[in-house]
Amino acid sequence: MSWNFSRMGHTLRATTLVQLPPELLYLILSPLDAYDLVRVRQTCKALKVMIDNSETLQYVIDLRYFQMIPIGTSKMDVPPATCRKRLRQHDAAWQRFEYKQKCTLPSIMLGPIFEFLGGVYGSAGEDCIHFTRLPSMTDSDDLHCWSHPVDATTSVDFTFCAAQDLLVVVAYSPDPRTHAYDIHLRSLTTNDVHTDAAQPILKALDKNLIDREIIQSTGHVNVQIMGSYISMLLWNIVANEGIVGDYMQMWDWKSKNGYQFVLWFHRGINDCSFIAEDKFLVIDSRGTVEIYDVADKSKPPQCTAKLSLPSLMNHVSYTEAFTGENIIPGSMAPYSRKSYQPSCSFHPSTNDQLIAIHVSVTGTMDTNTIDFHRYSFFILCSAILELESLFARTYGQPTLNGPKLLWSTWGPQHTTWFRVQRNEDWQSSLYGFRVVEPISDPSEVSREPRRLRIRDFNPHIAQNYHAQDKSDWRGRLVEGELTSTISCPFTEPLGSALPYREIVSEELFDVDDTLMDESRILLLKKDEFEELQQIDVLVF
């Protein structure tokens, strides 16, 4: 379509969009995201050809399709065509279980407390925390190792964020009458006080802040980093007057104003995990999942929704419930030291990811004897956020003993459940949309070599599975479905709604537990006392 206009005796003819010069049309289309490009591509043949012939625009679409973001590269460094090729090779390696190399971590990395974040593996030894930057699909094959000294008599836990060069070390307070723990903020590379830290040491469970004195603080702790936030979960804290409870404390470690808060869970909680920069989940052992929001720094986090897990038979109860070890969004970026940055790598988009919740149930079941079962179920983070809005529309603001979204309202259509066999590892390792776990044959001894199974819950892959060329693919697609089947010990149907692509390795591996990230699987081998004996790394 075009129009004629008259101005000062001259006739001006307006040009249609497809009549513009290709260079100008490209500039118009370049700011669009993948979804808009796909819609524009469907409007007419000319625009379809324009988009299909542009490696840059196709790269934008591919990144969204595979739910990945590029790290360590730019258009000036690596041409879009090369990036597209690497991205597709990256996904193909996973779907065929074709790893590029295998290496073994040095024995000093076999400490009992460890973290694997941003391509760096950290392990606490007797008087040091040892670190190893692992090889990636495009980086050097060499392991880069370094260590930082710590006081083993007072150190409790550690974590780090490679993207921010931040190392967090938790230690017992030198004066437990005033506060329970010191949280040291250091540089991951130099072990100096972090230059962005508003103060070098944070105080956990400060007597003046929680308005009670801590009598005993020897329970388990867990510390996380989420961007500018550091959170610490503390279980079984005994305060004066015999008050026992679980606490969560959170700080903005860069804030000069000293922003922090403490939440006290007098009924106890099982786990707490961030699902976005301003939201986290709290899970208790009574079958409740709560969503908290920390967007408003003028007040403590607010509970915005409560979700119930499936109801159980009489005399059966939830005894444990915790989230899987998916990498929280703030820690997905790779090691930031420039000399070790890969030239082009891909990491899961923080717009969405898979969430795993593991539960155990105990009680009198179909055999009339006390039994114990374990289950894992998976849900997309985007679905959790939709349920938050649904709760607000249905019930408004949550209250202490108020209503919850019933499992039948949200569970079957948003989750997929698996029962964990007695000789299988309970916690699957997940990263982005992928899950990896060793497969145990019930007839075999659990410490025999095992195959690995990878499930990919990327919804785009499942939706387009039948339209793709699968001539060189391995594995299968498991399609989601709603089911009315009720399995003991539950009294309502579980979820089987999420489709996924599954592949099982042909090779057998000597492995007990696994860890994974965007391009690696770590194979952890333990002895009969659950102590680490060896860590092998598969690089994809």
Side-chain angles (χ1 to χ4, degrees):
M1 180 180 295
S2 60
W3 298 267
N4 291 326
F5 299 93
S6 295
R7 184 180 178 184
M8 298 183 65
H10 300 281
T11 300
L12 303 178
R13 184 176 181 83
T15 303
T16 63
L17 183 65
V18 295
Q19 291 175 321
L20 293 173
E23 297 81 5
L24 185 57
L25 183 57
Y26 170 76
L27 292 177
I28 295 174
L29 297 177
S30 293
L32 300 182
D33 63 19
Y35 289 130
D36 287 337
L37 287 173
V38 170
R39 285 192 285 266
V40 170
R41 185 178 176 274
Q42 296 170 343
T43 57
C44 71
K45 184 177 180 179
L47 291 176
K48 178 180 182 299
V49 171
M50 171 69 188
I51 294 173
D52 289 353
N53 290 335
S54 169
E55 291 287 352
T56 299
L57 300 181
Q58 285 294 302
Y59 183 43
V60 172
I61 295 175
D62 284 353
L63 286 171
R64 188 66 179 182
Y65 175 80
F66 291 111
Q67 306 259 29
M68 304 294 277
I69 55 176
I71 298 293
T73 184
S74 68
K75 295 179 181 179
M76 299 297 295
D77 298 329
V78 183
T82 302
C83 292
R84 285 193 69 203
K85 181 179 179 181
R86 291 179 181 175
L87 177 61
R88 291 179 173 273
Q89 288 174 339
H90 174 70
D91 184 75
W94 283 100
Q95 73 184 22
R96 301 169 189 160
F97 207 102
E98 295 177 349
Y99 58 89
K100 168 187 167 184
Q101 64 165 305
K102 182 178 180 180
C103 61
T104 301
L105 298 189
S107 58
I108 60 171
M109 305 303 299
L110 301 178
I113 302 176
F114 55 83
E115 287 275 18
F116 178 44
L117 299 165
V120 176
Y121 183 88
S123 174
E126 292 184 0
D127 55 1
C128 284
I129 301 178
H130 307 285
F131 300 95
T132 299
R133 189 199 62 85
L134 304 180
S136 70
M137 60 178 178
T138 59
D139 205 4
S140 168
D141 295 343
D142 298 330
L143 296 174
H144 173 68
C145 303
W146 71 102
S147 301
H148 296 321
V150 293
D151 184 350
T153 61
T154 61
S155 296
V156 179
D157 195 14
F158 78 96
T159 189
F160 55 88
C161 178
Q164 300 185 87
D165 190 36
L166 175 62
L167 170 63
V168 175
V169 178
V170 181
Y172 289 117
S173 166
D175 187 359
R177 296 172 300 176
T178 61
H179 63 286
Y181 297 95
D182 284 339
I183 300 177
H184 301 263
L185 308 180
R186 304 176 180 174
S187 163
L188 179 62
T189 54
T190 67
N191 202 33
D192 297 328
V193 174
H194 199 288
T195 56
D196 292 337
Q199 49 188 315
I201 300 176
L202 304 174
K203 297 180 180 181
L205 297 185
D206 190 316
K207 175 183 176 180
N208 297 324
L209 184 63
I210 64 174
D211 197 30
R212 56 176 61 98
E213 182 179 348
I214 301 300
I215 304 300
Q216 183 177 346
S217 58
T218 56
H220 181 60
V221 304
N222 181 43
V223 61
Q224 300 181 45
I225 302 170
M226 170 55 72
S228 296
Y229 293 119
I230 291 175
S231 71
M232 187 173 180
L233 189 58
L234 308 100
W235 287 274
N236 299 322
I237 300 297
V238 181
N240 55 348
E241 301 179 358
I243 299 175
V244 181
D246 301 332
Y247 290 83
M248 178 187 178
Q249 188 161 359
M250 188 169 173
W251 301 262
D252 183 339
W253 63 281
K254 299 179 181 180
S255 173
K256 303 294 184 181
N257 298 324
Y259 170 76
Q260 63 175 308
F261 64 81
V262 177
L263 293 180
W264 177 44
F265 302 94
H266 67 282
R267 294 181 178 179
I269 62 172
N270 272 21
D271 200 7
C272 174
S273 180
F274 276 88
I275 60 172
E277 291 189 2
D278 57 355
K279 296 184 187 295
F280 59 87
L281 298 182
V282 168
I283 306 174
D284 65 29
S285 59
R286 298 175 299 278
T288 302
V289 179
E290 298 180 345
I291 306 173
Y292 279 77
D293 186 285
V294 294
D296 186 354
K297 288 189 177 184
S298 67
K299 54 188 176 182
Q302 302 297 301
C303 181
T304 56
K306 293 185 177 183
L307 318 175
S308 65
L309 296 181
S311 56
L312 299 168
M313 301 167 51
N314 292 333
H315 310 297
V316 179
S317 61
Y318 289 102
T319 52
E320 284 190 273
F322 55 93
T323 57
E325 294 296 328
N326 203 341
I327 308 300
I328 56 179
S331 299
M332 281 188 174
Y335 187 34
S336 60
R337 192 172 176 180
K338 186 175 180 180
S339 59
Y340 302 112
Q341 186 78 296
S343 58
C344 180
S345 61
F346 305 96
H347 297 258
S349 170
T350 57
N351 294 327
D352 201 3
Q353 65 175 348
L354 194 66
I355 296 173
I357 297 181
H358 309 285
V359 301
S360 64
V361 297
T362 304
T364 305
M365 303 185 194
D366 51 358
T367 60
N368 292 323
T369 59
I370 300 297
D371 206 352
F372 172 81
H373 289 184
R374 300 178 300 179
Y375 300 85
S376 296
F377 75 90
F378 299 93
I379 182 171
L380 297 181
C381 180
S382 55
I384 289 283
L385 299 180
E386 291 175 6
L387 295 171
E388 182 184 33
S389 300
L390 175 61
F391 185 96
R393 295 194 302 269
T394 306
Y395 300 114
Q397 185 67 26
T399 57
L400 180 61
N401 297 310
K404 297 176 276 189
L405 277 183
L406 297 178
W407 172 257
S408 58
T409 303
W410 70 274
Q413 60 268 44
H414 289 295
T415 66
T416 288
W417 281 66
F418 301 94
R419 180 175 173 180
V420 181
Q421 302 302 319
R422 294 185 184 275
N423 61 339
E424 288 184 333
D425 180 32
W426 191 0
Q427 298 186 57
S428 303
S429 178
L430 65 156
Y431 191 88
F433 292 96
R434 292 191 182 100
V435 182
V436 62
E437 59 190 356
I439 301 175
S440 296
D441 188 328
S443 63
E444 294 179 350
V445 179
S446 61
R447 298 195 178 277
E448 292 294 318
R450 296 185 278 178
R451 289 182 169 85
L452 296 178
R453 173 171 53 213
I454 298 175
R455 296 185 175 113
D456 191 336
F457 286 84
N458 183 347
H460 295 158
I461 292 177
Q463 292 167 5
N464 294 275
Y465 181 85
H466 296 292
Q468 297 181 19
D469 179 13
K470 297 179 286 294
S471 57
D472 59 347
W473 280 29
R474 292 173 48 202
R476 61 172 184 150
L477 176 72
V478 178
E479 301 195 51
E481 60 179 358
L482 293 179
T483 176
S484 59
T485 303
I486 299 176
S487 303
C488 175
F490 301 98
T491 61
E492 52 189 332
L494 302 181
S496 299
L498 297 184
Y500 57 90
R501 183 179 65 189
E502 179 183 271
I503 182 171
V504 176
S505 68
E506 295 179 352
E507 184 179 353
L508 298 175
F509 299 94
D510 198 12
V511 57
D512 293 303
D513 294 325
T514 56
L515 298 171
M516 75 179 305
D517 66 1
E518 80 289 342
S519 60
R520 289 160 287 243
I521 297 177
L522 275 61
L523 310 177
L524 282 62
K525 181 62 180 176
K526 301 179 179 179
D527 62 16
E528 62 271 23
F529 304 107
E530 293 297 307
E531 295 183 354
L532 279 173
Q533 298 298 301
Q534 182 170 311
I535 302 177
D536 293 328
V537 182
L538 307 180
V539 182
F540 286 80

